[in-house]
Amino acid sequence: MIDLRRLRNEPDAVLAALGRRGIDLAPVRQLIELDARQRDVARQRDEVRNQIKVISADVGRLFKEGKRDEAAELQARSRELGASEKQLDADADALAAQIRQGLLVIPNLPHPDAPDGASDADNPELRKVGYDPDAYGEHQRVAHWDIGKERGILDLERGAKLSGSMFVMYRGGGAALVRALIQLGLDRNADAFEEIRPPTLVRTETMVSTGHLPKFADDAYHVERDDLWAIPTAEVPLTSLGRDEVLDEAELPKRFMAYTTCYRREAGSAGRDTRGLLRVHEFDKVEILAYATPEQAPGLLEEMVGRAEATIAGLGLAYRVIEICTGDMGQSHHRSFDIEVYAPGVDLWLEVSSISWFSDYQARRANIRYRPLVTDGTPSKGTEIIHTLNGSALAVPRVWAAIVETYRRPDGQITVPDLLRPYLGGREVLAAGPSR
RNA sequence: GGAACGGUGGCAGAGCGGACGAAUGCAGCCGCCUUGAAAGCGGCCGGGCCGAAAGGCUCCGGGGGUUCGAAUCCCCCCCGUUCCGCCA
């Protein structure tokens, strides 16, 4: 969530920043008002409490001195004040709860350098690498769902039989390819990121920390009996790793990566981009994430984009990098870049990675802080909220689709990209059935 | 699933009706000592709100209650640890 104090102290700047997202600012203005009222009521309550405290001390003293009558008088006065204190306290609490709820659904402020825009149509393309529309042969213009069926490496019918549409099943060389991609994603980042294997069912508060709840509850699977949520991305557990902790600045940046299965209900997207592997309910992904100081964040963002990009490039796939404009950003994003891979069979650019800087938005929800280093000889005073960044290092299904389409030969066989051969026992083509 | 114990500052851990925002230790910061470091000694060392400041109020897992007054007593909830049972 955004910083309430900043909203209070610099309302114009905050409103202007939020305005760039094209959202309705009325609830934000209302929040400023509620905050002023809340603090006013709280101040009145504090004054009354102070009187009660002073009186109570006197009562104790008078009792000791044996002045029972005077004490009784004060007790009565205190009881009267107690009633008004209770009312003021209830009012202040109610206002605070309203503010908290309002704050949870206000999106993050976009970075000053984030491009303005109203929708994804306004996202500037930063670079396009390895793409030549004329270089693809007819043999590559076959959709991965057809290739997968033809080669016996993707069984969509049986996936749907087991779990319904948008649940998929890989087989033989296709299943091995999934495993290889996961391993590749981890290996490419093992130099700097600690590998984590987190739980994939998490508590409500864990989902709230990253901004996935309360606003986007419909997008997540919920295990009602145990009140647990299936994570839509490893970002959720990795961000909450540090919840309620205070780190030393010297520990930052702290970097984590995790391979997990991800679950998304994709409510409201029925029928859109839903064929084959374009959009599925359950998929595998390697996520990279960092806790950083505000100063470290920009460099990390660039590095993380570079890492995701290099992996796609290494696989020999065409891709482009686009920056997300203010009108298309996710709720929690401060600045965000997407990597889209080109899949020639379906002739589509598929989003395979979204790398984002969240400023202190998630960390404020999760209460992850750090103690700044002392620079000028004075003891460090207080704590600061860390910044979080994260992105997909490798999201399997769409990369799988792009590989299968790009590497399909005229004879219908699918060549294994060089980078993946070590992960596939040296095999050169993807085939059905047992791998050895 | 059954039982017991517990949730207090960065960490560990006292406090169990008024003098407690909270002992003590560790960690951290400043200074002394030292060629340097360690040890030792002295000092400092939680967050939020109001206030120009002085200062005031608030927070001891969450909520409710008792009381003139609650970290401390009572009730409900949440979370954790350990033991037993079950199980990969």
Side-chain angles (χ1 to χ4, degrees):
Chain A
M1 60 192 143
I2 63 167
D3 184 0
L4 182 59
R5 263 183 296 178
R6 178 139 178 239
L7 177 63
R8 176 155 68 222
N9 298 331
E10 311 165 30
D12 294 340
V14 172
L15 285 167
L18 287 174
R20 294 179 62 209
R21 282 177 173 267
I23 60 162
D24 178 16
L25 295 177
V28 187
R29 293 205 177 86
Q30 195 197 354
L31 217 52
I32 298 175
E33 171 131 350
L34 283 173
D35 173 54
R37 270 168 55 201
Q38 195 275 338
R39 284 180 305 138
D40 185 52
V41 173
R43 205 197 60 247
Q44 293 178 41
R45 177 201 58 197
D46 287 353
E47 279 168 14
V48 174
R49 275 182 177 167
N50 179 238
Q51 292 179 44
I52 293 175
K53 254 183 131 161
V54 169
I55 291 174
S56 291
D58 288 344
V59 169
R61 212 189 52 242
L62 289 170
F63 265 121
K64 268 181 203 147
E65 294 171 1
K67 298 177 179 167
R68 310 192 57 123
D69 291 351
E70 283 180 53
E73 225 170 273
L74 287 181
Q75 278 180 339
R77 172 79 185 126
S78 178
R79 257 189 296 262
E80 264 170 50
L81 287 171
S84 112
E85 188 268 350
K86 217 168 191 168
Q87 183 58 52
L88 287 166
D89 191 38
D91 291 350
D93 280 357
L95 285 166
Q98 259 187 71
I99 290 165
R100 215 174 309 121
Q101 278 187 328
L103 222 42
L104 280 177
V105 295
I106 290 179
N108 199 4
L109 310 183
H111 188 280
D113 294 341
D116 283 303
S119 73
D120 57 356
D122 301 317
N123 293 338
E125 177 181 299
L126 301 185
R127 51 189 170 273
K128 190 181 278 182
V129 180
Y131 176 67
D132 176 0
D134 303 324
Y136 296 97
E138 273 313 299
H139 57 281
Q140 290 170 295
R141 297 298 186 180
V142 180
H144 62 273
W145 50 83
D146 291 328
I147 303 173
K149 189 171 188 176
E150 171 188 293
R151 306 253 54 106
I153 56 175
L154 182 65
D155 191 341
L156 296 174
E157 289 79 4
R158 289 193 178 82
K161 175 167 77 178
L162 300 183
S163 304
S165 70
M166 293 168 74
F167 283 94
V168 301
M169 189 165 94
Y170 303 91
R171 326 182 55 136
L177 177 58
V178 169
R179 211 156 31 80
L181 287 170
I182 292 165
Q183 189 66 45
L184 175 71
L186 290 168
D187 284 357
R188 304 259 324 176
N189 298 290
D191 58 307
F193 293 76
E194 181 190 358
E195 183 173 350
I196 303 289
R197 208 349 285 210
T200 53
L201 292 178
V202 299
R203 291 200 173 113
T204 297
E205 44 188 311
T206 305
M207 291 282 279
V208 170
S209 291
T210 36
H212 291 91
L213 288 179
K215 206 172 174 181
F216 305 105
D218 286 348
D219 294 330
Y221 287 97
H222 185 207
V223 184
E224 292 191 15
R225 185 181 172 121
D226 299 290
D227 194 20
L228 289 168
W229 300 81
I231 59 169
T233 159
E235 165 192 338
V236 170
L238 289 182
T239 301
S240 279
L241 264 191
R243 194 164 65 219
D244 293 325
E245 293 190 22
V246 180
L247 308 164
D248 284 326
E249 183 176 344
E251 297 176 68
L252 298 173
K254 241 176 151 51
R255 310 185 217 214
F256 304 107
M257 64 176 178
Y259 149 65
T260 67
T261 305
C262 303
Y263 301 89
R264 299 186 181 180
R265 290 188 67 231
E266 300 293 354
S269 59
R272 196 151 49 92
D273 292 343
T274 52
R275 289 208 67 184
L277 298 174
L278 298 180
R279 187 180 294 278
V280 294
H281 285 311
E282 175 182 331
F283 64 98
D284 296 294
K285 180 160 67 68
V286 174
E287 184 82 356
I288 51 179
L289 179 141
Y291 296 170
T293 65
E295 294 74 29
Q296 294 165 340
L300 279 164
L301 181 63
E302 200 175 316
E303 180 197 324
M304 286 162 73
V305 171
R307 282 175 177 270
E309 196 177 338
T311 302
I312 297 300
L315 285 168
L317 301 173
Y319 69 93
R320 63 183 184 184
V321 180
I322 61 175
E323 174 156 17
I324 308 304
C325 73
T326 53
D328 190 35
M329 274 186 179
Q331 163 172 284
S332 307
H333 297 169
H334 182 51
R335 196 167 190 193
S336 196
F337 297 89
D338 276 4
I339 295 171
E340 297 182 342
V341 72
Y342 181 69
V346 292
D347 190 25
L348 289 171
W349 292 92
L350 308 176
E351 181 191 327
V352 290
S353 183
S354 181
I355 297 109
S356 305
W357 173 13
F358 300 83
S359 65
D360 58 7
Y361 188 87
Q362 293 181 323
R364 179 170 293 106
R365 288 168 171 246
N367 190 29
I368 311 171
R369 295 166 294 164
Y370 72 98
R371 210 174 283 289
L373 281 175
V374 176
T375 49
D376 61 350
T378 56
S380 62
K381 190 188 168 295
T383 53
E384 301 284 336
I385 296 170
I386 63 152
H387 279 207
T388 55
L389 306 102
N390 70 248
S392 354
L394 202 150
V396 171
R398 292 175 182 169
V399 173
W400 193 102
I403 287 174
V404 163
E405 294 178 5
T406 302
Y407 284 87
R408 183 165 186 268
R409 307 191 306 221
D411 68 356
Q413 296 269 29
I414 302 154
T415 305
V416 173
D418 291 341
L419 195 59
L420 287 173
R421 295 212 178 153
Y423 296 103
L424 288 165
R427 81 185 83 173
E428 293 176 16
V429 297
L430 292 175
S435 48
R436 278 197 289 271

